[in-house]
Amino acid sequence: MQSLRQLLTALPLLDWAALALYFLTWTGYAQFSKRHAEERGSLLAITNRVRRQWMLQLTYREMRVLDGAVSQALLSSPSFFASTTILIIGGLLAALGASEQTSAMVLELPFTVKTSTLVFDLKLALLTGIFVYAFFRFTWSMRQYTFGALLVASAPEAGQFEVQGQQAREEFADRAGAVVGMAAEAFNDGLRGYYLAFPVVGWFFSPWALMLAAAGVVYVLYQREFRSEVLEKLRA
């Protein structure tokens, strides 16, 4: 309780405002991207349609070695980021354990704002929390890709789909495509956490750097998800 009071008094009002704006920017953009994904067609929404089409085409193939290889390739990305995130979290926890030495080293950098060790610990804790969130999203993405691979492996033969009819194909494509799409969404959330960790690094220099960097990162995310060249190609 005493540490909380010290933190409330040690952190200037501008820093609290910058922190509130940072979280508002993150959550606001997350809600905006979900709401406008289907209306305007984001990268995730367009690729989800491709995933659904992939699962539909799978029902026509007798040999599904290619589908298994693609499933394995999709699983490798969240696996790589999850293992990398563990290393980052370990480094941040080590920095928290030696916060006085780390704070003194960071303060030697040009343009950094001089703060107390308590405030410095708060910034490191925020970074750690972001990467913990990213780790959970990456590992959940891995599990969902595994579920999608199970659906691919358990899919009936093409001849059985011929007997069951087109409706059975469509139902399988909807179910399997949705599972793989949810895995992609979890991976996208983890990547977004990586992007939005950079503004917190700017907070070590200034609360203004936190606010400007947050706005800049969200602008970059918007351009890539809604206005990128690859999106236009996928739409075509």
Side-chain angles (χ1 to χ4, degrees):
M1 191 69 179
Q2 185 177 0
S3 298
L4 180 59
R5 290 176 181 174
Q6 290 177 352
L7 179 61
L8 290 173
T9 56
L11 198 61
L13 182 61
L14 181 59
D15 287 81
W16 283 118
L19 195 57
L21 181 62
Y22 170 76
F23 282 110
L24 182 63
T25 301
W26 188 340
T27 56
Y29 179 74
Q31 293 299 318
F32 169 83
S33 62
K34 286 183 179 180
R35 189 177 301 113
H36 288 74
E38 294 298 332
E39 296 177 6
R40 303 187 61 178
S42 65
L43 269 177
L44 184 61
I46 295 297
T47 52
N48 279 343
R49 296 173 193 170
V50 176
R51 292 181 184 94
R52 197 264 181 193
Q53 183 65 19
W54 166 32
M55 293 301 170
L56 182 61
Q57 292 300 316
L58 177 150
T59 63
Y60 292 95
R61 284 194 280 268
E62 292 290 348
M63 300 296 295
R64 292 167 182 165
V65 178
L66 173 63
D67 303 296
V70 173
S71 299
Q72 184 64 33
L74 291 174
L75 183 61
S76 63
S77 293
S79 176
F80 168 78
F81 275 97
S83 58
T84 302
T85 305
I86 283 290
L87 298 177
I88 296 173
I89 293 172
L92 289 171
L93 290 176
L96 272 170
S99 57
E100 291 186 3
Q101 296 88 336
T102 309
S103 176
M105 181 180 63
V106 171
L107 289 176
E108 292 179 359
L109 298 174
F111 308 112
T112 52
V113 177
K114 293 183 179 180
T115 59
S116 64
T117 304
L118 182 62
V119 174
F120 184 82
D121 288 345
L122 171 65
K123 297 175 181 180
L124 284 180
L126 178 58
L127 269 178
T128 305
I130 291 171
F131 284 107
V132 168
Y133 164 79
F135 173 77
F136 277 104
R137 296 305 288 167
F138 286 136
T139 52
W140 184 228
S141 175
M142 290 169 58
R143 291 198 66 189
Q144 290 181 103
Y145 273 128
T146 303
F147 302 150
L150 287 174
L151 287 173
V152 170
S154 63
E157 298 291 335
Q160 291 180 266
F161 277 116
E162 292 290 342
V163 176
Q164 295 173 5
Q166 185 64 25
Q167 183 177 355
R169 296 184 190 274
E170 298 289 341
E171 290 176 354
F172 173 81
D174 289 339
R175 184 172 66 255
V179 170
V180 180
M182 287 187 290
E185 183 177 359
F187 179 69
N188 187 61
D189 289 342
L191 279 182
R192 188 178 294 158
Y194 262 65
Y195 277 103
L196 287 164
F198 284 99
V200 181
V201 176
W203 192 19
F204 287 97
F205 295 90
S206 168
W208 292 106
L210 172 62
M211 291 185 284
L212 290 174
V217 167
V218 166
Y219 175 77
V220 170
L221 289 174
Y222 173 76
Q223 290 295 321
R224 291 188 175 182
E225 291 190 40
F226 292 95
R227 295 182 177 273
S228 60
E229 293 182 2
V230 67
L231 179 60
E232 295 299 325
K233 297 298 181 183
L234 288 171
R235 281 174 176 166

